Amino acid sequence: MSQLVYWLDLAGVIVFALSGVVLACRKRMDPVGMLVLAAVTGIGGGTLRDLVLGVRPVFWVDDPTYLWVIVATVALSLVGFHYIHRLSRGFMPVADAFGLAIFTALGSHKALALGYTGEVATLMGMMTGVAGGMIRDVLARRVPMVLREEIYATAAFAGGVAYVVLYSLGAPTVLTIGASLAATLGLRLAAIYWGLALPVFAWVTIPTRPAEEGRAAAQKAKERVRMIQRQRKRR
């Protein structure tokens, strides 16, 4: 079972690292930028989780295989650079959804294995799943998905709850991981496919008069140009 968890963890690192590479390509970064985005996405969430839980050393320090997996992912991406540019816009959200599901399940698994409560395990699953993507988006100057109205952290929360509930019922680890993956991935992919989003609440109404005045001024300028053109034609 420990081997299953280990290989799933490496798979999650690959998927998240690849999403970082894709974003780096779209932001026209150099190979160093690609490596940085791939690394923070692939191991950022797990690093924060281990630091919060007091795990020493952090998982990738204890096992540098994670670092080599990230380097290999970036190297292969550089070789297939032209193919990455041909990927559709929908690839990155889907790849990110798979990484989110894997890391949420494994984050909850690790917290419970260390003897923490279900509440802590759920939060650690969310942190493992969303933190790496948050750091990636901030470095790429994007608003992180977790801060937008998209169903992202909610999907991670559902996956963490699913894992904790089945674990408390004594279900086998394979079943708990599978249920957590299904809950997170199903909810996230459904949100992507059907465009589902959480409601947005605004306590302050931002005045739109400056924008309206700008549009009115632009319209007047266009009308004036047309009038001048008509006058020239008459001459």
Side-chain angles (χ1 to χ4, degrees), residues 20 63 87 89 103 108 142 219 222:
D63 184 4
L87 293 174
R89 287 284 175 179
F103 279 172
S108 300
R142 295 201 322 169
Q219 185 64 28
K222 289 180 181 179

Side-chain angles (χ1 to χ4, degrees), residues 212-222:
E212 294 174 355
E213 291 174 357
R215 287 193 293 268
Q219 185 64 28
K220 288 181 180 179
K222 289 180 181 179

Side-chain angles (χ1 to χ4, degrees), residues 17-49:
L18 186 58
S19 72
V21 168
V22 172
L23 182 57
C25 289
R26 290 177 181 168
K27 293 294 183 177
R28 304 180 64 85
M29 295 184 181
D30 61 15
V32 175
M34 293 173 63
L35 183 60
V36 170
L37 283 196
V40 298
T41 312
I43 62 177
T47 300
L48 288 178
R49 174 204 62 211

Side-chain angles (χ1 to χ4, degrees), residues 3 14 33 52 76 101 148 169 229:
Q3 283 296 108
I14 293 173
V52 172
L76 291 175
R148 288 180 267 174
L169 294 176
Q229 289 175 346

